[in-house]
Amino acid sequence: MARGIDVGTMNLVSARQDGSETVFVSQRNSFVEIDYSDMAERMLSRSDVLHIRKDDNVYVVGDDALNFANIFNEETRRPMKRGILSSEEKSAIPMIRLILEQVVGEPERPNERVYFSTPADPIDSDLSTLYHQKTLESFLGDIGYDPEPINEGMAVIYSELADHNFTGLGISFGAGMTNVCLSYYAVPVMTFSVARGGDWIDEQTATATGENVDKVTSVKEEDFRLDFTTDAGGVEGALSIYYDNLLDYVIENVVKEVNNEDVEEGLDVPVVVTGGTSSPPGFEKLFEERLNKADIPFSISHVRKADEPLYSVARGALVASRTEEGSGTGDAEAEGEVEAED
């Protein structure tokens, strides 16, 4: 048995194989603090709401946190910010540990292999991902796993481009960062991230409209469409503006990094986009329009969105984990087995 985990700023998602099915478990990577009372704790326990008590406070964690935040008109708090563990949140370590334990569960055997996603160091920030990566390794090791990091962009390649010999441009539009990987036959040619993603869109929209961030996030996740038919002035109009700006920013940096890496001209590659930020209908169409106008020294055969954007990175981490686990029978056989199951 092997597992894969997408450690995202907005969601934590695990993937494991059960026969011919891939089983996903997810939790929102957030929490909200409420005052402790015996009655409150009893009601939370009876309702199977994920929570922990600390001193005179109760922390509601995961998917239920956003619901409680809206009821009590509170802002949710995050263990992670900009794609890595938050240095500003004093409760980051115990909260993400609890959510991680809920998502991945106990290993089925000692030192079961698990690949977990980690972002590349952003090219537009001095953030380092090393502490984040090593801390997660320690947590997963304590649970009983044998952990291995995988670049988030490369996980997209493993998940979505098996039918193109793991060759193409994979872009994960997450909440905290956007991760990019150009791969040629499963060999990463270019990997980088930028410190902008869905959170940046939500924060800018909230500032522009005067709404709180959680309300903006709810609007974006429920029925927002990226088709520019919404009148300017409201939350959806502002979301469209900042989505447009994010796509231009990502493409600008793709062009810059391709030139810096001296990528061979003449390539004809597919592009796949994934991540929760890519979920709104119309996203891939707008991205393709912007990409076709960019001065990139290779051609794009097509742009598509992953069928399940929220699960794509976890699936790719699982592919990497199972491929390694099956390497005793030969890499080609293991990769063929994974491709057939996908």
Side-chain angles (χ1 to χ4, degrees):
M1 180 63 69
R3 301 181 193 237
I5 309 174
D6 174 13
V7 184
T9 302
M10 179 67 78
N11 296 284
L12 264 68
V13 183
S14 72
R16 63 178 176 85
Q17 204 69 26
D18 184 8
S20 61
E21 298 292 324
T22 303
V23 178
F24 299 96
V25 178
S26 66
Q27 282 281 357
R28 188 177 291 272
N29 196 2
S30 62
F31 65 96
V32 66
E33 180 179 332
I34 61 176
D35 292 334
Y36 169 80
S37 71
D38 290 339
M39 177 63 75
E41 186 164 29
R42 282 198 298 271
M43 292 304 295
L44 292 173
S45 298
R46 288 176 183 173
S47 303
D48 292 326
V49 172
L50 184 60
H51 68 285
I52 59 174
R53 177 187 172 186
K54 185 178 179 182
D55 300 326
D56 293 327
N57 294 303
V58 174
Y59 298 89
V60 177
V61 182
D63 292 341
D64 293 306
L66 185 60
N67 294 331
F68 272 78
N70 288 332
I71 291 170
F72 291 102
N73 197 29
E74 298 279 351
E75 292 278 348
T76 56
R77 290 155 61 183
R78 302 269 196 85
M80 288 172 56
K81 184 177 182 180
R82 296 186 179 180
I84 59 176
L85 285 166
S86 174
S87 61
E88 301 171 11
E89 176 52 66
K90 64 178 189 269
S91 299
I93 297 298
M95 294 303 158
I96 198 167
R97 185 168 192 149
L98 176 64
I99 300 171
L100 192 61
E101 289 172 350
Q102 292 293 317
V103 166
V104 71
E106 296 288 333
E108 295 191 2
R109 57 176 173 77
N111 295 316
E112 182 179 330
R113 195 57 151 165
V114 61
Y115 270 69
F116 66 96
S117 68
T118 185
D121 286 337
I123 59 174
D124 56 349
S125 168
D126 59 0
L127 291 175
S128 170
T129 63
L130 181 62
Y131 173 77
H132 170 81
Q133 175 184 314
K134 293 300 183 182
T135 302
L136 292 172
E137 282 185 15
S138 177
F139 289 168
L140 289 166
D142 290 345
I143 297 171
Y145 288 95
D146 179 17
E148 180 71 21
I150 180 173
N151 175 268
E152 185 173 325
M154 195 65 213
V156 175
I157 300 292
Y158 279 129
S159 174
E160 305 297 333
L161 292 176
D163 55 348
H164 289 83
N165 297 313
F166 304 107
T167 296
L169 187 65
I171 307 179
S172 175
F173 288 87
M177 290 183 182
T178 298
N179 275 268
V180 180
C181 178
L182 177 64
S183 171
Y184 187 67
Y185 288 95
V187 177
V189 177
M190 174 187 75
T191 58
F192 72 92
S193 74
V194 295
R196 290 189 189 180
D199 284 349
W200 179 83
I201 291 174
D202 294 354
E203 290 162 5
Q204 298 299 314
T205 298
T207 299
T209 61
E211 294 283 358
N212 69 51
V213 173
D214 284 332
K215 176 61 182 295
V216 170
T217 301
S218 295
V219 170
K220 185 179 71 176
E221 292 182 352
E222 286 172 5
D223 53 10
F224 172 65
R225 301 181 63 87
L226 197 54
D227 53 15
F228 293 93
T229 59
T230 304
D231 292 338
V235 169
E236 292 188 352
L239 282 169
S240 296
I241 290 170
Y242 288 110
Y243 256 101
D244 197 37
N245 185 270
L246 175 65
L247 296 190
D248 284 343
Y249 184 73
V250 170
I251 291 171
E252 173 188 323
N253 281 283
V254 168
V255 172
K256 184 189 303 181
E257 289 301 301
V258 165
N259 291 333
N260 288 344
E261 295 292 337
D262 195 25
V263 174
E264 179 183 353
E265 296 187 15
L267 289 177
D268 183 39
V269 300
V271 176
V272 60
V273 296
T274 191
T277 302
S278 72
S279 296
F283 181 95
E284 70 272 27
K285 180 180 178 182
L286 179 62
F287 188 67
E288 185 169 23
E289 290 174 359
R290 296 289 188 271
L291 201 56
N292 286 335
K293 295 177 181 178
D295 185 19
I296 299 177
F298 56 83
S299 59
I300 303 297
S301 60
H302 64 276
V303 177
R304 69 174 179 85
K305 182 163 65 177
D307 291 337
E308 298 177 300
L310 290 175
Y311 298 148
S312 182
V313 171
R315 187 195 301 276
L318 175 62
V319 169
S321 188
R322 297 196 68 219
T323 299
E324 180 183 295
E325 188 180 60
S327 61
T329 59
D331 289 344
E333 182 180 338
E335 288 179 8
E337 179 184 337
V338 168
E339 182 176 346
E341 287 167 353
D342 285 348

